[in-house]
Amino acid sequence: MKSKQAENIRGVIRYVQQFKNALIVIYIDEKTIDSSLFSSHINDIALLHKAGLQVIIIPGARNRIDEILTTSKIKWTYKNNVRITSSEAMPLIKMAAFDVSNTVMTSLAANGITAVIGNWVRSRAKGIIDGFDYGTAGEIDKLEVSSIKTVLSDGFIPIFPCIGWNSIGRPYNISTVSLAQQIAINLQADKLFFYVSSPTLNSSLYNIPQNFPLTKNGNIPAMDLTQVDLFLKENPSSTGTIPALLSSAKEACQNGVTRVHIVDGNVDGVILSEIFSDLGSGTMIYTSDYGTIRSMQQNDIPSVISIQKPFVDSGKLLPRTENQIEESINDYIVYELDGGIRACASLHVYQDNQAEIAAVAVDDSFAHMGIGPKMISFLINKAHQNKINNIFILTTQASDWFEKLGFELDNLNSLPQERLALWSQDRNSKVYRLRKN
């Protein structure tokens, strides 16, 4: 009997091993910092650090800056989501930014973690663009990468206020999202996290392109860069945090950041779930190397049998022993995700130049991610590469699914004699053959 609890523990151990010494950059927006869950989030980040991950934090300070400027009766406006102020506001903005960073540092200290607030950002004035003067707003010019790495190697957590200085020491207010992105790129982070307290990537809020994977709650669990483009194209008039973060995430991935995660700051334990479970609880943006289809290996067989078991129990698949799978191991492929086997399928070739796709099984927790169609497409291409265009499947309960993938009902007598001899009246499987274009 498969133990879900044991499987979850195995997954956690696997991820702890995989991400030990990994570098993660974490942006926390101002609403999350002001929320009742902030101390819980900081506790989780402290646990990550204690588990051996290197952590950098960039806290959002918009609310605190608003508060201090309002108290001081200094007005400001926004242009293209950039705060526009007079030079008299800058000392107050700097004070607010460091105040928020101190809040994060104090919370980490309460969890036994030493953090350092530093001035590792060199910046320049954003300047005048299309005739508009952006005043005290700045752009990132350079990061003191070697100094940041020294702080990390000493076992500290660097905290970055949203302030940069030019070569003569003049401070500028810089975007925390851009800062998080540039830090992740410059240090080639393994992960970049955006903690946000705003609506998530859900089908109730956005137009979801066709065939996008969705969770049972309608959330998008993951997107590659092509899907990011499709999503933004499908939602051209969307404004707010999420579309901007998706564009930033895409640029980060294009410049060497392995994965970017957008997580909901209103959910307790969200960062631990996102790192140490296969599906996580946010939306991950990644390059094309997230999940891998590869040939089955000997040590994959126990995992494959475990994945097939629910399908065998429900009568969707024939039972297969370890020996039976081992005898045809060269026919099998698996889908590996972060070191775990999440799906399998096989392609059996017969003497009359026909091929059967069989033993298709996807872990139920990943059924929404479109893995099954990817496996089928991979095997069809494999057959075509071997000059085999006559491809069939046998199914008892998945006819609609295979029809959607281009298969159509065929006659039982069309099967190769070798396969027909194994057909059972008790199962009464139907034959579906790939439609020829």
Side-chain angles (χ1 to χ4, degrees):
M1 179 178 178
K2 183 178 180 180
S3 169
K4 191 66 176 178
Q5 183 180 18
E7 190 63 25
N8 289 339
I9 293 172
R10 293 186 191 107
V12 170
I13 293 172
R14 187 174 68 247
Y15 281 113
V16 168
Q17 292 172 334
Q18 180 178 354
F19 291 116
K20 187 175 178 61
N21 298 319
L23 173 62
I24 60 172
V25 175
I26 303 173
Y27 161 80
I28 310 177
D29 77 356
E30 60 281 353
K31 291 182 180 179
T32 301
I33 292 173
D34 292 338
S35 75
S36 60
L37 285 176
F38 175 64
S39 60
S40 179
H41 292 315
I42 289 295
N43 179 65
D44 291 342
I45 292 170
L47 288 175
L48 293 177
H49 187 262
K50 292 174 182 177
L53 285 75
Q54 294 183 314
V55 177
I56 294 174
I57 299 177
I58 301 90
R62 176 172 289 193
N63 286 355
R64 184 62 177 143
I65 294 172
D66 287 351
E67 180 184 343
I68 289 180
L69 291 183
T70 299
T71 300
S72 302
K73 297 181 180 180
I74 294 180
K75 296 182 179 181
W76 72 91
T77 59
Y78 282 99
K79 174 77 170 179
N80 297 325
N81 204 34
V82 175
R83 187 189 297 271
I84 309 300
T85 65
S86 61
S87 58
E88 66 175 336
M90 200 58 223
L92 298 174
I93 292 174
K94 186 169 66 171
M95 180 177 68
F98 275 83
D99 187 30
V100 173
S101 293
N102 272 307
T103 297
V104 175
M105 184 172 66
T106 301
S107 296
L108 287 168
N111 285 274
I113 303 297
T114 302
V116 179
I117 301 172
N119 59 343
W120 303 291
V121 183
R122 298 293 168 262
S123 65
R124 63 183 184 278
K126 193 173 182 69
I128 300 171
I129 301 175
D130 295 329
F132 185 87
D133 188 350
Y134 280 82
T136 59
E139 298 280 3
I140 299 168
D141 197 27
K142 180 184 177 182
L143 295 173
E144 300 293 342
V145 173
S146 61
S147 298
I148 301 168
K149 288 183 176 179
T150 297
V151 173
L152 289 168
S153 64
D154 287 341
F156 302 139
I157 292 182
I159 300 175
F160 285 73
C162 58
I163 304 295
W165 288 262
N166 70 5
S167 58
I168 60 172
R170 180 179 293 122
Y172 292 101
N173 184 15
I174 55 180
S175 162
T176 46
V177 170
S178 296
L179 181 55
Q181 180 209 60
Q182 288 302 308
I183 292 169
I185 290 172
N186 277 267
L187 275 77
Q188 292 294 280
D190 297 282
K191 289 180 177 290
L192 167 59
F193 278 87
F194 290 117
Y195 263 99
V196 292
S197 294
S198 58
T200 54
L201 285 149
N202 189 275
S203 57
S204 65
L205 302 170
Y206 297 97
N207 298 320
I208 307 299
Q210 189 175 7
N211 298 324
F212 257 49
L214 295 174
T215 66
K216 293 178 182 179
N217 296 326
N219 291 326
I220 301 176
M223 285 191 282
D224 62 26
L225 301 190
T226 300
Q227 290 172 318
V228 170
D229 287 337
L230 289 173
F231 180 90
L232 293 174
K233 184 178 180 181
E234 195 71 20
N235 297 273
S237 60
S238 294
T239 58
T241 302
I242 296 298
L245 289 182
L246 284 176
S247 297
S248 182
K250 176 186 174 183
E251 184 178 345
C253 287
Q254 288 175 326
N255 286 277
V257 179
T258 307
R259 297 175 190 175
V260 180
H261 304 257
I262 300 174
V263 297
D264 187 353
N266 297 304
V267 178
D268 191 18
V270 65
I271 195 168
L272 298 182
S273 177
E274 190 72 7
I275 293 179
F276 295 124
S277 68
D278 293 308
L279 288 179
S281 55
T283 298
M284 181 177 71
I285 294 87
Y286 62 96
T287 50
S288 58
D289 61 348
Y290 175 44
T292 302
I293 296 175
R294 61 168 175 79
S295 299
M296 184 193 289
Q297 300 171 1
Q298 183 77 30
N299 58 358
D300 297 327
I301 294 178
S303 296
V304 165
I305 290 177
S306 180
I307 291 170
Q308 291 181 348
K309 189 178 186 304
F311 295 87
V312 172
D313 292 344
S314 65
K316 295 177 182 178
L317 285 184
L318 284 168
R320 293 167 172 83
T321 66
E322 287 195 27
N323 287 338
Q324 288 174 324
I325 294 176
E326 185 175 0
E327 287 174 358
S328 56
I329 193 169
N330 293 331
D331 293 351
Y332 276 84
I333 59 170
V334 296
Y335 187 93
E336 181 178 0
L337 191 157
D338 286 337
I341 304 303
R342 301 305 171 194
C344 65
S346 62
L347 182 73
H348 305 306
V349 178
Y350 297 93
Q351 290 183 349
D352 61 352
N353 209 36
Q354 292 193 54
E356 176 189 10
I357 293 177
V360 181
V362 180
D363 188 320
D364 184 61
S365 298
F366 298 82
H368 61 279
M369 292 184 63
I371 295 173
K374 290 179 182 178
M375 303 283 280
I376 298 298
S377 178
F378 184 93
L379 291 178
I380 290 171
N381 289 334
K382 182 179 178 181
H384 289 168
Q385 289 170 6
N386 288 285
K387 312 297 184 185
I388 299 173
N389 297 311
N390 201 344
I391 304 168
F392 68 92
I393 59 97
L394 287 166
T395 184
T396 58
Q397 301 176 42
S399 57
D400 291 337
W401 189 76
F402 282 108
E403 284 181 350
K404 188 176 180 180
L405 296 177
F407 289 79
E408 56 188 13
L409 186 64
D410 200 2
N411 193 292
L412 187 64
N413 293 327
S414 67
L415 291 177
Q417 288 300 312
E418 181 183 352
R419 185 64 184 87
L420 184 60
L422 299 174
W423 184 85
S424 167
Q425 180 66 53
D426 292 337
R427 283 183 59 78
N428 197 26
S429 301
K430 291 184 177 180
V431 180
Y432 281 79
R433 199 169 294 278
L434 184 65
R435 185 167 48 248
K436 294 182 180 179
N437 297 326

